[in-house]
Amino acid sequence: MSSTEPDRPRRTALDALHRSLGATMTDFAGWDMPLRYGSERDEHIAVRTKAGLFDLSHMGEITVSGPQAVALLNHALVGNIATVGLGRARYTMICQADGGILDDLIVYRLGETEYMVVANASNAQVVLDALTERAAGFDAEVRDDRDNYALLAVQGPESAGILKSLTDADLDGLKYYAGLPGTVAGVPALVARTGYTGEDGFELFVAPGDAEKLWQALTEAGADAGLVPCGLSCRDTLRLEAGMPLYGHELTTSLTPFDAGLGRVVKFEKEGDFVGREALLAAAERAAAEPPRVLVGLVAEGRRVPRAGYAVVSGGEVIGEVTSGAPSPTLGKPIAMAYVDATHAAPGTAGVGVDIRGNHEPYEVVALPFYKRQK
């Protein structure tokens, strides 16, 4: 970012390419990112049926290394990083001392004593600062690597076939939530079988200078398979259909992992203390004694689209709040995720609606996710 233009959004290494493709750009978490290239519905359907190519270079990569790297991560995060095998990845969270969620993360184990923490773009600095602060007393280094990586994602049922034509990496042997070094189109990359769409797919961490070459190679390799460039708009509807939480919507500092229905990521049995442990024990006990509001799916009976912050109602009473809502290209109806009182959380609960500008629009309560891919 130019020091003379402090308010200008950061641009990824693929910025000029996105503009040449006619992308509609938007400021997202301080980055200029492609929102869509054409029809967001067409992009969404391409990922569900064929393949989509995303630029995710706004995500925040932080390297933690050194003899006590794993001890630091076990202290700083709620998961048990000591059990992450070499070349594997784990979904986890970093919490405040009061148990509130600072961010949800993926941690990759790159070497014996080297890990990469990938934070959401909006929280990358917060996570970096927290890890740096929590590293005091540990023989470990926390390094901001955001400028050293570009991140491309190929998602969809055709993604493995497209990538196989360009890489020497053993994709068949690469499990979900694993990553291995390889070469893709002649470019050194960390190839990870992770994603945020509900489909099979891969995320490719490369040097920024290699990003455009890789994008072009993937575009050419995927042309016959129906690969299309995809923006953040369809990424949001894809993750919503897959019931995946988004920080700032389903996850916030006012919620603990137990409030969010994700208490399984907290590992009390791991060795040593960790930040938020006492508060999270209390949150787990509260959740067991009196279930908090439950994250559910809502499917519209009509055509009006719910948005984050809209009240969920039943019998004239507010029973919850929408956290994310959008039209679902796959279901052909508006859908939403919402936190609702436990008494109204069972699928099929009658009489539930969403207050949309004063009208109580009827919605069906369903279990998450809305969509699950065929294996």
Side-chain angles (χ1 to χ4, degrees):
M1 208 156 41
S2 166
S3 60
T4 58
E5 297 176 282
D7 297 326
R8 180 180 172 186
R10 296 179 69 177
R11 295 185 171 189
T12 77
L14 294 166
D15 183 79
L17 188 147
H18 297 318
R19 293 171 194 278
S20 75
L21 293 172
T24 299
M25 306 296 287
T26 188
D27 184 345
F28 182 81
W31 290 81
D32 222 0
M33 297 297 295
L35 187 64
R36 69 182 73 83
Y37 298 85
S39 158
E40 55 201 50
R41 182 178 182 277
D42 289 349
E43 292 171 22
H44 179 112
I45 291 170
V47 175
R48 286 275 177 260
T49 61
K50 296 173 183 175
L53 178 57
F54 297 82
D55 178 11
L56 305 179
S57 302
H58 60 313
M59 300 295 281
E61 296 88 3
I62 302 161
T63 301
V64 179
S65 60
Q68 291 188 297
V70 72
L72 163 58
L73 289 170
N74 263 1
H75 166 69
L77 311 180
V78 302
N80 188 356
I81 309 306
T83 58
V84 179
L86 195 61
R88 298 306 302 266
R90 179 154 302 161
Y91 176 80
T92 186
M93 293 182 183
I94 183 168
C95 290
Q96 301 178 144
D98 66 2
I101 303 166
L102 278 174
D103 200 15
D104 60 334
L105 313 162
I106 296 180
V107 178
Y108 296 88
R109 186 176 179 188
L110 304 182
E112 285 298 326
T113 59
E114 184 177 5
Y115 297 80
M116 181 169 67
V117 177
V118 181
N120 285 295
S122 56
N123 294 327
Q125 191 64 47
V126 169
V127 173
L128 177 66
D129 291 345
L131 286 174
T132 302
E133 181 184 330
R134 295 174 190 187
F138 289 93
D139 185 6
E141 179 193 2
V142 177
R143 186 174 72 237
D144 181 1
D145 265 346
R146 284 175 287 179
D147 289 340
N148 296 324
Y149 287 105
L151 176 57
L152 279 63
V154 190
Q155 298 281 302
E158 300 290 337
S159 57
I162 293 166
L163 202 54
K164 274 182 187 177
S165 70
L166 295 172
T167 185
D168 55 356
D170 176 19
L171 298 188
D172 291 333
L174 187 63
K175 296 177 181 177
Y176 187 52
Y177 265 71
L180 80 171
T183 302
V184 184
V187 169
L190 172 67
V191 181
R193 201 163 204 156
T194 45
Y196 193 52
T197 62
E199 298 298 335
D200 188 19
F202 301 85
E203 294 183 322
L204 308 171
F205 296 85
V206 299
D210 291 331
E212 189 165 337
K213 177 185 175 183
L214 182 56
W215 179 284
Q216 298 288 20
L218 288 164
T219 299
E220 290 169 19
D224 292 340
L227 176 83
V228 301
C230 293
L232 293 181
S233 186
C234 83
R235 180 171 151 90
D236 191 49
T237 52
L238 289 159
R239 70 90 194 169
L240 176 55
E241 287 184 351
M244 294 177 168
L246 174 64
Y247 196 88
H249 290 255
E250 289 73 39
L251 308 174
T252 68
T253 52
S254 65
L255 297 171
T256 72
F258 294 94
D259 297 324
L262 292 166
R264 64 184 180 275
V265 307
V266 181
K267 303 300 181 185
F268 294 116
E269 72 278 9
K270 67 179 175 177
E271 191 177 331
D273 195 12
F274 62 92
V275 177
R277 181 186 175 92
E278 285 188 23
L280 290 169
L281 276 170
E285 289 171 5
R286 283 197 306 273
E290 183 181 342
R293 283 185 166 178
V294 178
L295 188 64
V296 302
L298 299 175
V299 178
E301 294 182 18
R303 309 303 305 173
R304 300 188 73 181
V305 179
R307 298 298 182 192
Y310 285 12
V312 182
V313 294
S314 180
E317 300 290 321
V318 174
I319 59 158
E321 184 176 304
V322 171
T323 53
S324 296
S328 165
T330 303
L331 276 64
K333 299 176 180 180
I335 59 172
M337 287 199 281
Y339 283 109
V340 302
D341 294 344
T343 51
H344 292 83
T349 300
V352 172
V354 175
D355 186 338
I356 300 180
R357 298 186 181 87
N359 291 325
H360 291 185
E361 301 286 338
Y363 274 75
E364 179 188 0
V365 179
V366 300
L368 291 169
F370 301 96
Y371 165 86
K372 208 166 192 177
R373 70 183 171 95
Q374 300 299 310
K375 297 293 184 187

